[in-house]
Amino acid sequence: MDKFRMIFQFFQSNQESFMNGICGIMALASTQMYSAFDFNCPCLPHYNLAYGLGILLVPPFILFLLGFVLNNNISMLAEEWRRPQGQRGKDPSVLRYMFCSMAQRAMIAPAVWVSVTLLDGKCITCAFCTSVPVETLGNASHSHLSQGEIQRVLARIPCKEIYNGQQLIANEVAVRYLRCISQALGWCFVLLMTTLAFLVRSLRPCFSQAAFLKSRYWSHYIDIERKLFDETCAEHARSFAKVCIQQFFEGMSTDLVAARCHLPRKAPADAGDAAEKLLGITDQGTMNMALKNWHRCKPPLHLHPPALPTGNGWAGEGQSPLYSSAPRRETAAYYSWV
């Protein structure tokens, strides 16, 4: 139980770990879905190809879209891409990094599905059973069969219980031939995906490590900024609701006192704290304006210290004691009139 708790805490440590855990769960789910899926080839010409390729390609596409849906950064990417320019520019490299990161994670489950499907061989057997070379593997001397009849016989190869073309080509031979081709394609696909992942991981630092670090940093910043903004809005909403409720009950108590119902009044201790958290935004219109301004013109990413008093303030105008690198040394000079 402790191991599962540690794994769960690791997944919750940051956004990337959480998404890696989600993608791993989806990859395992794709294999379980395929093992539980009841594969039934129609064994009819012009339908086998559509059914086999549909099972091979449609579920990976759905899993790919599901990987984007489960990724929390998709809404953040769309918001950052569609927001106005405002006071902060939009960096295309950061948007590209976020999209590529989401796409790479969303491709894990579809790649697992395609690999498992090709290694199993049922889809390829169903889709291309009519393309078996009868001249090479079977008996092509049955000239009394037309081309359409041969196609109908070959289409029943995946359905062993209704196959009636043993005199044309043995069912075991055709199935083994197609399954070997499917497994070869499956291992080639696995090798291709592994090679691409290795090249992306190993060659990226050799060319654009500085740009990669910059894009990753600012993508993390956008994610953290959005979370902090949501937390600040939630805290403001809580304080706003608390002050509204307190004012409501204070008004009720005032009405009761006016009606000669003397009730003890005690000011709440946290009323001042809740009012301070409102930061001067005390009505709905001002809050809506603040939210619109945050979306339209986000503040620029340039931090500057607050203006410090000069003249009558610090001794030495234009220099703050907060930013002095070394302690000031005072010297005294004495003059003699002798």
Side-chain angles (χ1 to χ4, degrees):
M1 197 65 184
D2 294 336
K3 293 182 179 180
F4 286 106
R5 188 181 297 108
M6 292 176 61
I7 294 174
F8 186 72
Q9 291 177 356
F10 172 75
F11 286 158
Q12 286 186 327
S13 59
N14 54 58
Q15 183 69 13
E16 288 190 355
S17 299
F18 176 75
M19 290 313 306
N20 290 334
I22 291 294
C23 293
I25 294 174
M26 287 184 59
L28 293 177
S30 64
T31 58
Q32 293 296 324
M33 288 170 57
Y34 183 79
S35 61
F37 177 71
D38 189 10
F39 188 88
N40 292 315
C41 186
C43 296
L44 293 172
H46 312 295
Y47 290 96
N48 289 3
L49 182 62
Y51 183 81
L53 294 182
I55 297 301
L56 179 64
L57 300 177
V58 173
F61 181 72
I62 297 175
L63 291 173
F64 181 74
L65 295 181
L66 188 61
F68 270 100
V69 170
L70 294 179
N71 199 320
N72 295 330
N73 291 336
I74 185 64
S75 58
M76 181 177 64
L77 174 62
E79 179 184 354
E80 184 68 16
W81 179 51
R82 293 296 300 172
R83 71 171 177 86
Q85 188 75 12
Q87 300 181 8
R88 182 189 303 179
K90 293 184 285 187
D91 194 349
S93 61
V94 177
L95 300 178
R96 195 183 312 116
Y97 169 81
M98 295 169 62
F99 177 79
C100 293
S101 178
M102 288 186 292
Q104 290 175 5
R105 291 185 175 92
M107 282 293 295
I108 295 177
V112 172
W113 178 278
V114 174
S115 302
V116 173
T117 304
L118 291 176
L119 293 176
D120 186 55
K122 293 180 182 178
C123 290
I124 297 299
T125 303
C126 179
F128 298 100
C129 58
T130 56
S131 303
V132 174
V134 182
E135 297 81 3
T136 305
L137 301 177
N139 185 8
S141 61
H142 290 272
S143 57
H144 63 278
L145 295 177
S146 63
Q147 188 65 27
E149 292 176 348
I150 293 177
Q151 292 294 318
R152 283 194 294 271
V153 171
L154 294 179
R156 298 177 181 177
I157 289 177
C159 305
K160 188 176 181 180
E161 62 278 1
I162 63 174
Y163 181 68
N164 57 354
Q166 292 291 340
Q167 70 280 5
L168 182 63
I169 183 174
N171 181 271
E172 293 80 6
V173 174
V175 170
R176 181 166 296 187
Y177 171 78
L178 293 173
R179 184 165 293 179
C180 289
I181 294 177
S182 179
Q183 290 179 352
L185 293 175
W187 285 116
C188 291
F189 180 79
V190 172
L191 179 62
L192 178 63
M193 291 293 102
T194 306
T195 305
L196 288 178
F198 171 76
L199 292 177
V200 169
R201 289 287 186 177
S202 60
L203 296 182
R204 178 185 291 172
C206 301
F207 296 98
S208 59
Q209 181 67 10
F212 171 73
L213 291 175
K214 183 196 72 171
S215 302
R216 184 173 63 179
Y217 174 84
W218 289 117
S219 67
H220 291 338
Y221 172 82
I222 294 173
D223 183 30
I224 295 173
E225 183 187 51
R226 185 186 184 188
K227 291 180 179 178
L228 291 177
F229 184 77
D230 292 341
E231 293 175 0
T232 305
C233 289
E235 184 178 0
H236 185 277
R238 181 179 180 85
S239 302
F240 193 87
K242 183 181 294 186
V243 173
C244 286
I245 294 173
Q246 289 173 353
Q247 290 180 357
F248 170 75
F249 280 102
E250 288 176 358
M252 289 295 297
S253 62
T254 303
D255 295 339
L256 292 175
V257 170
R260 297 182 179 179
C261 296
H262 300 284
L263 297 176
R265 296 183 59 186
K266 183 179 180 181
D270 55 348
D273 297 338
E276 289 179 359
K277 292 181 180 179
L278 294 177
L279 301 176
I281 303 177
T282 56
D283 61 278
Q284 184 179 3
T286 308
M287 189 63 201
N288 292 338
M289 185 181 300
L291 296 175
K292 291 179 181 179
N293 290 336
W294 175 261
H295 173 70
R296 292 176 180 174
C297 48
K298 289 186 177 181
L301 299 178
H302 174 69
L303 304 180
H304 52 83
L308 298 176
T310 57
N312 295 331
W314 308 113
E317 297 182 0
Q319 184 178 4
S320 169
L322 298 175
Y323 297 95
S324 58
S325 57
R328 284 176 48 183
R329 293 198 297 177
E330 299 181 357
T331 58
Y334 298 93
Y335 299 94
S336 175
W337 295 96
V338 178

